Amino acid sequence: MPTNFTVVPVKDSTRKAKEGDKEDDVDDNNVLKEEEEDATGDGVPKENSPFINNTDNDKGNSYDGTNMALFEEEMDSNPMVSSLLNKLANYTNLTQGAQEHEEAEEDEGPKKKAVKSPQMGTFMGVYLPCLQNILGVILFLRLTWIVGTAGILESLAIVCLCCSCTMLTAISMSAIATNGVVPAGGSYYMISRSLGPEFGGAVGLCFYLGTTFAGSMYILGTIEILLTYIVPKAAIFVAEKKEDEPDALLNNMRVYGTCCLALMAVVVFVGVKYVNKLALVFLACVILSILAIYAGVIKTIFEPPDFPVCMLGNRTLQNHNFDSCLKTEIIQNVTVTTKLWKLFCDGPEFNATCDEYFANNNVTSVQGIPGLTSGVISENMWSEYGPLKMLVENKKLPSAGGSDPAQDIYMPYVVNDITTFFTLLVGIYFPSVTGIMAGSNRSGDLRDAQKSIPIGTILAIVTTSFIYVTCVVLFGACIEGVLLRDKFGDSVKGNLVIGTLSWPSPWVIVIGSFFSCCGAGLQSLTGAPRLLQAIARDGIVPFLQVFGHGKANGEPTWALLLTAGICEIGILIASLDAVAPILSMFFLMCYLFVNLACAVQTLLRTPNWRPRFKYYHWALSFLGMSLCLALMFISSWYYAIVAMAIAGCIYKYIEYRGAEKEWGDGIRGLSLNAARYALIRLEEAPPHTKNWRPQLLVLLNLDSDQGVKHPRMLSLTTQLKAGKGLTIVGNVLEGTYLTKEAEAKKAEQNIKSSMSAERTKGFCHVVVSSNLRDGFSHLIQSAGLGGMKHNTVLMAWPGTWRQSNDPQSWKNFIETVRETTAAHQALLVAKNVDSFPTNQDRLEEGTIDVWWVVHDGGMLMLLPFLLRQHKVWRKCKMRIFTVAQMDDNSIQMKKDLQMFLYHLRLDAEVEVVEMHDNDISAFTYEKTLVMEQRSQMLKQMQLSRTEREREIQSITDESRSSIRRKNQGAAQSTNLCQQSPSMEDTLEDEVADFVNPLPSSSTTEIQRLTAAINDKAETGPDRVHMTWTKDKLFTERNRNREGNSNVAVRDLFNMKPNQSNVRRMHTAVKLNEVVVNKSQEAHLVLLNMPGPPGNRGGDENYMEFLEVLLEGLNRVLLVRGGGREVITIYS
């Protein structure tokens, strides 16, 4: 199926005169070569569209002069209307099949041939190809048998059902085909561009399989005609017994079918252009055969052909091994037994033992073709279904008893070779109405595809429907019922049943049908590989991409090999009646989605849906879709399920691998409408507690290269969500959008890549803001849409906040906590997030420990349950700890908690931990003191340069006074030293002496902050050097004594800790001791997160409290509820 396109720009005469020798280069640039298409991986002319952003070949041409100077800066992206209209008026999409490739190879001149415009009209381009593809093997080999078995009325019902299905599909296809320029490629492109890559790939492959199995059916039909009607003696396997004949026939079909397939594949590989040239010859065979049938019907009115059928009683006999339909005959006045006698008796003698039924019944001869005026039509009105091996009988003839069913199968009776019923016949007949896509497949060769495809296709269906309906009626009116039910013509010496009706000779039909089947098989082997190549080149099914390559001239070599391999499967089945329902399924699946595409586009009223074909309606498309689905299950319910399963698997595979193609398909529009409707419904009322689940806003940190700093955050998100609910991954860049646009897009791309790697399903939202705090606030307020908004924020604990010289990092963290509280959203803070398991890890048996200190709406209960749904945490057990005070009854608390968990349907161990009111330890007191001193020092880092230097001098002076008081006899110094590194050393020594009793970590912290103050003092552009005298010192002190900050620094080493902070620190220390003691080995610890202080002055102390609370724990998830119940005991 050709998939290449050519855009032919037409230059006006003035431009030709200017460009001169450049004409050839422009022509070369405007031909979309196959290699270029292969690189894009898309089979549509999107990349070579004559619309916006495609002005590579027009730069320098589209803008000339100063009349349009106002728009000159936009010329690179927006072409002039004049050049745009010029391209649109002369746009075409020629197929570049084998013939064009080979002609291009033969042309070695410096200038390539001008590609001819397509010239095929409706009759040659659509009508005749559809006629050739629709009429075929089933008409010649099975239609008479279907009429005889189902009767005229039920056969008409079958024909009407199938023809209605294809007519409705043709109407839908015409609407799609006339909605814009039709890509060369047929039904696959129509479906994929209308319903999206997932549906397109699934249905495209189903259509490919249907076309491939159609090739098998045509080859089997060819071999059946060859071995049954042309040269029966060519059979390799010959049955010695009658009961072995079906198996012998199937084996012959397999051997000859495989040889025929190999021969046809070689023909297609070597010279496909000859196949296309012979198409008209094959079509002529079909038309001549049909004309011969009608001529034969007319002839039966005057002179019916002589094809006697021999009947024994009311049973039909196979007329292969006897000449006369008599038991005995008189030869030279002597009565002798005939060959028929020998078939039923054990000898030619009159006294030989004969079959009882043969002895009791007479032999009669009836005319197989009684003629149109014989009245046989009344006998053929009703069905004659039956099981396998059922005898073909004429109920109107007399029949005496005495038959032995066990022996009848060895006698030369005509019997059913398969069990027959109505739905089976539907499946066998349906392939005879397929082929309606032949016109759309040739869309690139048509002069006016939008006009020719609807008219030609619908006319072809009307014509073939008329042929089928008249054939059903005429066969029933002209042919005897027992001959109609004789599938292989055994009762008329092995003649093709439909051939007995034809004029002037049965050989007209035999030869015509033989070449018709050959041609149809070659066409299938030509079209199927091109369809597979088109799918492979679209790149939507990665493992099929190898089949997109072929010979230098574009022939799909690898696709042809795969097609031949699949075709061989159908040939090994060997039965035409078994293969026909298989390809019926795949074609019906294809037609179903053509109708669905039209219905969806019509109902959505998408702006681009403007078909020129106006005689369509969504109800017709829906009826066609329903009819296709019904026919699938009527034909064969198990084949229908298999076909739908195959299509479903392909759909999910393409969806799983990520279909990156955007074709403006209708399913996307349907999704948008459904999403809009759902969002409006969601906003009508808040979700019930039973429906509540964490809808996450994940605040990610990026590094300097816009890479994700903590990818395990996304792993945790995936494990927590399991693909359910809403996930928004957000990030904030500092700056303005105009300057940071490129970085924002890069960041978004990196986040999406990480989300894909971690299998996190959700959305990405990167915001550029003047500062990080406002950016996070905007995300928390505005992320999501309507009722689909987040209710939970997930972020990482700022582990390096102490080492950071910029306090803004931890201030932003605390402000985010406050924002989520104000927005009534839950908050999850992951500590040591880089140590959390990946999605590939499988944690061995361990525990998820929940420390339930305060009630938060049930978040602490719900989160472990959600985590354990994921395979990473599935083996972990859940433990719940709660804290009891002195006045609490811990035993009763445990019972109540167990009952609560029982009602929640949660399986967890329960433990109540008692915390007694101990005295506040010296360690807690000192830790609080160091915390407040550190906080005071950090405040001084924000002072101006001059104030900072003065404070350093004041601290130094206080330190020296302290030393003098300690030494009590040392001489007082009258002059202070000049500010220099010696002063800084003295300050560090004094600080070290003061904090020496404290823990080493605290000492290090004070020293680091002191050094930071000194460093910042030295970073000013102009360092102030002053010589201090005693008078200057006291004057300066008195001048600044009113400043609160100076007082705070001078009293830094004499301060006492705030009692409220001491109590909070005591809680943090004691709770940390208990948690570490119980849960240090747990895989994950979930803990209530205390709220930030109301007074922002204590923000840094809040960070210290949290740090102490989490000390010694590896994986911790701090949880803060959103102010509503999220778990319920009710059903």
Side-chain angles (χ1 to χ4, degrees):
M1 198 169 288
T3 61
N4 307 311
F5 308 89
T6 304
V7 176
V8 183
V10 179
K11 303 178 182 61
D12 55 24
S13 57
T14 57
R15 193 169 297 174
K16 281 186 179 179
K18 291 180 181 179
E19 293 181 3
D21 296 336
K22 294 181 181 178
E23 182 178 345
D24 297 342
D25 296 334
V26 176
D27 282 341
D28 290 343
N29 290 336
N30 281 292
V31 176
L32 181 60
K33 308 275 192 311
E34 185 172 12
E35 290 77 15
E36 293 171 351
E37 180 193 327
D38 204 14
T40 62
D42 200 345
V44 291
K46 177 174 61 178
E47 287 76 4
N48 205 28
S49 171
F51 296 97
I52 292 175
N53 297 324
N54 187 56
T55 58
D56 294 340
N57 299 322
D58 296 323
K59 291 181 181 178
N61 301 337
S62 58
Y63 169 68
D64 187 19
T66 57
N67 292 334
M68 292 293 147
L70 185 61
F71 299 97
E72 60 185 354
E73 292 184 358
E74 301 177 8
M75 290 298 175
D76 287 343
S77 59
N78 300 341
M80 290 289 295
V81 173
S82 58
S83 62
L84 175 67
L85 293 176
N86 187 20
K87 283 187 174 185
L88 285 175
N90 296 281
Y91 178 75
T92 182
N93 53 351
L94 296 179
T95 59
Q96 296 192 7
Q99 185 172 356
E100 288 83 354
H101 281 291
E102 290 175 12
E103 287 176 356
E105 287 175 358
E106 293 168 4
D107 183 19
E108 297 177 356
K111 189 173 181 178
K112 289 186 181 291
K113 288 182 185 177
V115 181
K116 294 180 181 179
S117 298
Q119 295 297 326
M120 297 183 77
T122 302
F123 186 75
M124 291 294 294
V126 181
Y127 181 74
L128 290 182
C130 285
L131 217 60
Q132 179 190 1
N133 280 267
I134 295 173
L135 301 171
V137 61
I138 300 296
L139 170 64
F140 300 122
L141 296 184
R142 292 292 183 269
L143 190 57
T144 53
W145 173 72
I146 290 173
V147 173
T149 305
I152 293 175
L153 294 179
E154 291 188 23
S155 298
L156 286 174
I158 293 172
V159 171
C160 290
L161 265 178
C162 297
C163 291
S164 300
C165 177
T166 53
M167 177 60 80
L168 292 171
T169 304
I171 292 172
S172 300
M173 185 191 72
S174 299
I176 297 171
T178 58
N179 186 47
V181 178
V182 184
S187 58
Y188 162 65
Y189 283 108
M190 284 193 292
I191 296 169
S192 60
R193 272 55 177 180
S194 296
L195 292 180
E198 294 92 351
F199 277 112
V203 181
L205 285 174
C206 283
F207 190 48
Y208 163 75
L209 291 173
T211 308
T212 305
F213 276 104
S216 300
M217 185 185 72
Y218 292 131
I219 292 172
L220 290 173
T222 303
I223 302 305
E224 184 176 313
I225 294 170
L226 180 71
L227 294 181
T228 309
Y229 307 113
I230 299 178
V231 280
K233 295 182 180 179
I236 299 173
F237 300 92
V238 180
E240 296 180 359
K241 300 178 181 179
K242 182 178 180 295
E243 61 269 22
D244 296 331
E245 286 180 0
D247 293 334
L249 176 62
L250 293 180
N251 288 330
N252 285 318
M253 298 280 278
R254 292 184 180 106
V255 173
Y256 278 97
T258 302
C259 296
C260 184
L261 171 63
L263 182 62
M264 286 185 175
V266 169
V267 170
V268 171
F269 178 77
V270 172
V272 69
K273 62 181 181 180
Y274 301 112
V275 176
N276 294 329
K277 288 177 180 177
L278 288 172
L280 285 177
V281 177
F282 298 138
L283 177 60
C285 293
V286 175
I287 295 174
L288 286 174
S289 300
I290 293 172
L291 292 177
I293 294 170
Y294 283 115
V297 170
I298 295 172
K299 185 175 180 293
T300 62
I301 300 174
F302 313 104
E303 186 184 347
D306 183 27
F307 283 98
V309 177
C310 190
M311 308 291 294
L312 176 61
N314 64 356
R315 300 178 180 181
T316 310
L317 297 177
Q318 292 183 351
N319 192 359
H320 288 299
N321 300 317
F322 59 91
D323 299 322
S324 56
C325 186
L326 297 168
K327 291 184 179 181
T328 60
E329 59 183 348
I330 300 173
I331 300 177
Q332 297 176 356
N333 296 325
V334 178
T335 302
V336 294
T337 57
T338 60
K339 292 182 180 179
L340 181 61
W341 180 281
K342 298 174 183 176
L343 294 175
F344 286 90
C345 302
D346 57 5
E349 300 83 10
F350 286 101
N351 59 355
T353 304
C354 296
D355 179 72
E356 187 178 356
Y357 187 83
F358 178 76
N360 294 340
N361 290 275
N362 294 323
V363 175
T364 56
S365 179
V366 298
Q367 192 56 255
I369 313 290
L372 192 61
T373 57
S374 63
V376 74
I377 186 171
S378 60
E379 300 175 10
N380 293 329
M381 279 290 180
W382 313 109
S383 60
E384 290 283 348
Y385 300 119
L388 176 67
K389 303 296 183 184
M390 187 188 82
L391 302 175
V392 176
E393 299 174 339
N394 187 339
K395 301 297 185 183
K396 290 192 174 184
L397 294 177
S399 174
S403 64
D404 182 5
Q407 294 299 319
D408 288 343
I409 60 173
Y410 302 107
M411 298 302 168
Y413 296 126
V414 177
V415 297
N416 283 353
D417 63 330
I418 58 173
T419 302
T420 54
F421 42 90
F422 177 80
T423 57
L424 172 75
L425 299 186
V426 173
I428 292 174
Y429 173 77
F430 188 81
S432 66
V433 297
T434 60
I436 61 173
M437 302 289 186
S440 62
N441 291 349
R442 295 168 177 259
S443 56
D445 298 325
L446 301 174
R447 188 185 306 115
D448 186 357
Q450 296 191 21
K451 177 183 176 184
S452 298
I453 289 177
I455 296 174
T457 305
I458 292 174
L459 276 180
I461 293 174
V462 169
T463 304
T464 53
S465 300
F466 173 78
I467 291 173
Y468 285 131
V469 170
T470 54
C471 282
V472 167
V473 175
L474 294 176
F475 292 164
C478 295
I479 305 175
E480 178 64 42
V482 290
L483 181 55
L484 285 173
R485 294 196 296 279
D486 183 4
K487 184 187 289 185
F488 300 108
D490 291 323
S491 61
V492 285
K493 295 188 178 296
N495 277 300
L496 182 62
V497 176
I498 198 172
T500 61
L501 184 62
S502 65
W503 179 87
S505 168
W507 286 102
V508 175
I509 295 288
V510 172
I511 300 301
S513 60
F514 177 78
F515 283 111
S516 170
C517 292
C518 282
L522 285 171
Q523 291 287 351
S524 297
L525 288 179
T526 304
R530 279 162 178 71
L531 176 58
L532 182 61
Q533 186 182 45
I535 298 170
R537 285 184 172 175
D538 266 348
I540 57 175
V541 185
F543 68 82
L544 289 180
Q545 288 184 354
V546 65
F547 299 107
H549 307 293
K551 292 195 295 185
N553 63 0
E555 287 305 303
T557 309
W558 294 107
L560 178 60
L561 288 174
L562 180 65
T563 303
I566 297 173
C567 203
E568 177 65 17
I569 296 173
I571 288 171
L572 292 177
I573 295 174
S575 172
L576 186 68
D577 302 321
V579 172
I582 296 176
L583 67 101
S584 294
M585 291 304 113
F586 292 120
F587 278 119
L588 280 167
M589 183 81 73
C590 178
Y591 297 164
L592 184 150
F593 281 102
V594 170
N595 286 296
L596 175 63
C598 182
V600 166
Q601 298 277 26
T602 307
L603 288 172
L604 288 179
R605 297 187 180 92
T606 50
N608 191 50
W609 180 246
R610 303 184 299 276
R612 289 187 180 277
F613 181 78
K614 300 300 182 184
Y615 306 102
Y616 70 93
H617 192 268
W618 66 266
L620 292 176
S621 299
F622 187 77
L623 179 62
M625 184 179 68
S626 304
L627 197 54
C628 288
L629 189 63
L631 283 173
M632 286 177 67
F633 283 92
I634 287 173
S635 303
S636 175
W637 64 268
Y638 45 89
Y639 279 156
I641 291 173
V642 170
M644 295 174 74
I646 291 173
C649 290
I650 297 169
Y651 178 95
K652 294 306 292 183
Y653 174 78
I654 296 172
E655 185 182 55
Y656 171 74
R657 292 301 302 262
E660 297 177 357
K661 301 292 179 184
E662 173 51 57
W663 291 324
D665 51 87
I667 292 299
R668 188 175 180 84
L670 185 64
S671 301
L672 286 171
N673 269 5
R676 179 186 62 84
Y677 175 78
L679 286 172
I680 292 172
R681 288 290 304 274
L682 277 175
E683 209 167 18
E684 291 176 359
H688 192 273
T689 303
K690 290 186 287 186
N691 297 327
W692 195 95
R693 64 166 60 245
Q695 318 285 8
L696 289 180
L697 170 63
V698 184
L699 300 180
L700 275 187
N701 295 323
L702 302 182
D703 56 25
S704 57
D705 295 329
Q706 311 306 329
V708 177
K709 192 179 291 185
H710 303 298
R712 299 288 177 88
M713 284 278 285
L714 298 175
S715 303
L716 177 61
T717 304
T718 303
Q719 294 156 23
L720 193 59
K721 301 291 291 179
K724 304 294 190 300
L726 174 70
T727 301
I728 302 173
V729 181
N731 177 254
V732 178
L733 296 180
E734 200 165 4
T736 62
Y737 186 70
L738 292 178
T739 59
K740 296 281 187 177
E741 179 190 3
E743 291 184 31
K745 289 182 178 178
K746 181 181 177 183
E748 188 171 346
Q749 192 61 42
N750 291 343
I751 291 174
K752 286 182 177 178
S753 299
S754 297
M755 290 174 68
S756 177
E758 299 294 337
R759 298 181 182 177
T760 303
K761 296 180 180 179
F763 308 98
C764 175
H765 195 175
V766 176
V767 171
V768 181
S769 180
S770 58
N771 59 72
L772 296 178
R773 183 190 179 285
D774 289 346
F776 287 127
S777 178
H778 294 156
L779 275 177
I780 292 171
Q781 293 177 63
S782 62
L785 180 65
M788 200 66 174
K789 292 180 70 70
H790 63 279
N791 55 29
T792 306
V793 176
L794 172 62
M795 59 193 302
W797 170 257
T800 59
W801 70 275
R802 279 177 170 170
Q803 288 74 33
S804 174
N805 292 329
D806 183 13
Q808 203 60 40
S809 61
W810 55 264
K811 286 185 177 179
N812 287 339
F813 173 80
I814 296 177
E815 288 302 317
T816 304
V817 176
R818 288 194 174 102
E819 295 268 0
T820 56
T821 304
H824 302 289
Q825 295 173 2
L827 177 65
L828 308 177
V829 179
K831 182 200 174 188
N832 294 336
V833 70
D834 290 329
S835 68
F836 276 62
T838 65
N839 292 326
Q840 286 72 39
D841 294 337
R842 299 292 180 270
L843 296 179
E844 298 302 324
E845 292 188 2
T847 60
I848 299 175
D849 286 0
V850 177
W851 285 85
W852 195 20
V853 181
V854 294
H855 182 56
D856 59 350
M859 277 286 287
L860 282 170
M861 309 293 177
L862 187 61
L863 291 174
F865 170 77
L866 295 175
L867 281 174
R868 290 177 63 205
Q869 304 303 305
H870 198 274
K871 49 194 172 185
V872 172
W873 302 90
R874 191 162 292 157
K875 294 183 179 180
C876 297
K877 294 181 180 179
M878 179 177 167
R879 294 195 303 180
I880 296 183
F881 298 89
T882 188
V883 177
Q885 301 298 322
M886 283 292 293
D887 300 335
D888 297 326
N889 184 343
S890 58
I891 298 175
Q892 187 61 40
M893 278 181 66
K894 184 172 183 178
K895 289 182 179 178
D896 294 342
L897 182 54
Q898 286 173 335
M899 182 58 66
F900 180 56
L901 291 176
Y902 175 78
H903 287 307
L904 289 176
R905 290 91 64 202
L906 294 175
D907 184 19
E909 297 179 12
V910 174
E911 187 171 340
V912 178
V913 178
E914 295 181 351
M915 286 184 64
H916 303 292
D917 290 337
N918 296 335
D919 292 334
I920 297 174
S921 65
F923 173 78
T924 302
Y925 189 87
E926 290 173 354
K927 204 169 184 66
T928 310
L929 181 62
V930 171
M931 174 188 74
E932 294 187 354
Q933 289 172 342
R934 179 183 184 281
S935 177
Q936 189 70 18
M937 278 192 167
L938 281 172
K939 289 177 183 176
Q940 304 314 309
M941 293 174 66
Q942 311 303 318
L943 299 177
S944 67
R945 175 175 54 83
T946 306
E947 289 174 334
R948 190 182 297 116
E949 289 188 347
R950 288 172 182 167
E951 292 307 324
I952 291 172
Q953 187 61 46
S954 299
I955 294 172
T956 305
D957 189 59
E958 288 293 332
S959 300
R960 290 189 181 277
S961 299
S962 175
I963 294 170
R964 284 196 298 272
R965 285 196 299 273
K966 288 180 182 177
N967 293 336
Q968 290 187 6
Q972 292 188 356
S973 174
T974 57
N975 291 319
L976 284 175
C977 65
Q978 193 180 42
Q979 184 171 349
S980 63
S982 62
M983 181 270 291
E984 296 172 10
D985 295 339
T986 306
L987 174 61
E988 290 180 2
D989 292 342
E990 291 303 313
V991 174
D993 289 342
F994 179 81
V995 299
N996 191 47
L998 300 180
S1000 59
S1001 62
S1002 303
T1003 305
T1004 306
E1005 183 69 15
I1006 295 293
Q1007 289 174 342
R1008 188 185 67 76
L1009 287 170
T1010 308
I1013 292 175
N1014 293 336
D1015 290 342
K1016 292 210 170 188
E1018 294 175 2
T1019 57
D1022 299 311
R1023 177 138 189 207
V1024 180
H1025 293 274
M1026 301 177 66
T1027 302
W1028 288 84
T1029 62
K1030 186 174 182 180
D1031 295 336
K1032 277 186 179 182
L1033 173 64
F1034 285 113
T1035 302
E1036 195 70 22
R1037 271 189 184 177
N1038 293 332
R1039 190 166 65 84
N1040 293 292
R1041 194 173 293 278
E1042 299 160 358
N1044 292 332
S1045 60
N1046 294 350
V1047 173
V1049 174
R1050 285 198 306 274
D1051 295 340
L1052 180 65
F1053 297 107
N1054 297 324
M1055 67 189 299
K1056 293 183 179 180
N1058 183 286
Q1059 290 303 310
S1060 174
N1061 288 341
V1062 171
R1063 289 197 307 274
R1064 288 185 172 87
M1065 182 64 76
H1066 175 70
T1067 303
V1069 170
K1070 297 303 293 181
L1071 189 56
N1072 174 259
E1073 287 178 2
V1074 175
V1075 173
V1076 170
N1077 181 41
K1078 296 285 186 180
S1079 302
Q1080 193 165 20
E1081 301 301 322
H1083 286 316
L1084 179 64
V1085 176
L1086 281 84
L1087 190 63
N1088 283 117
M1089 182 178 183
N1095 178 17
R1096 282 180 167 77
D1099 281 358
E1100 189 187 359
N1101 298 340
Y1102 173 69
M1103 295 296 290
E1104 287 286 355
F1105 296 146
L1106 292 181
E1107 195 72 63
V1108 170
L1109 182 62
L1110 303 178
E1111 192 174 355
L1113 298 173
N1114 184 21
R1115 296 184 193 133
V1116 183
L1117 198 60
L1118 289 172
V1119 181
R1120 187 163 173 75
R1124 62 161 293 168
E1125 292 294 328
V1126 300
I1127 195 166
T1128 177
I1129 64 175
Y1130 300 106
S1131 61

